[in-house]
Each structure stands twice: as structure tokens, then as C-alpha cells.
Amino acid sequence: MIQLSPHMRVFLFVEPVDFRNGIDGLAGLCRSRLRQDPMSGAVFLFINRRRNGLKLLVYDGHGFWLCHKRLSEGKIKF
């Protein structure tokens, strides 16, 4: 289970990413593009090109969680 708390930092990667990327590819984007440590415990959110999918990457101290949500209707707006 992912424990979210009020003091956690959340980073939204606003450019669409290739959802074929897994943990290593998304962690690399955190380092290279956001200049953040993916093992810091922060939550990293990524969207796909069609804006109907969202991936969440977070390190919990023991390993990475990678969650994927695809909307059945509509688009992600922010």
C-alpha cells in the first residue's frame, strides 16, 4: 500500500511520456528532466500523449511502486 501524507512532495511531468517506459525509464526522466531523486519518497506523476492515462511512480523505502490508470472516457485536464 502506498502511504500518502500531507508533507509528501508531488511532481507532475507536464510533457507527455511514452508509456512503454517502466520504472527505470521513468526514474531516468525524474533525474534528467526534473532534476529530482526518484528515491526521495516524492510522488512523480506522468501523463501519456492522448491524456487518457496516468502513471504514478513513488519509492517507499523498500522499492518502487508504479501505478497505471487509464480513463475509460474523457481526458486528464490540469
Side-chain angles (χ1 to χ4, degrees):
M1 176 182 288
I2 301 172
Q3 295 285 331
L4 298 177
S5 64
H7 69 276
M8 289 181 88
R9 295 175 22 170
V10 177
F11 293 93
L12 173 64
F13 197 86
V14 294
E15 296 175 26
V17 300
D18 184 349
F19 266 25
R20 293 175 291 184
N21 279 326
I23 292 171
D24 295 330
L26 295 175
L29 287 174
C30 295
R31 287 185 193 97
S32 65
R33 303 290 295 280
L34 294 175
R35 305 232 187 265
Q36 296 294 322
D37 179 11
M39 297 176 81
S40 67
V43 177
F44 298 92
L45 297 171
F46 302 89
I47 57 169
N48 64 354
R49 185 173 39 100
R50 293 182 183 159
R51 295 194 187 274
N52 67 347
L54 176 78
K55 279 193 174 182
L56 176 145
L57 180 71
V58 64
Y59 185 77
D60 69 359
H62 302 287
F64 282 101
W65 283 90
L66 179 61
C67 303
H68 182 184
K69 171 79 171 188
R70 184 173 59 202
L71 300 177
S72 56
E73 295 180 9
K75 305 270 185 202
I76 296 169
K77 297 177 186 178
F78 53 90

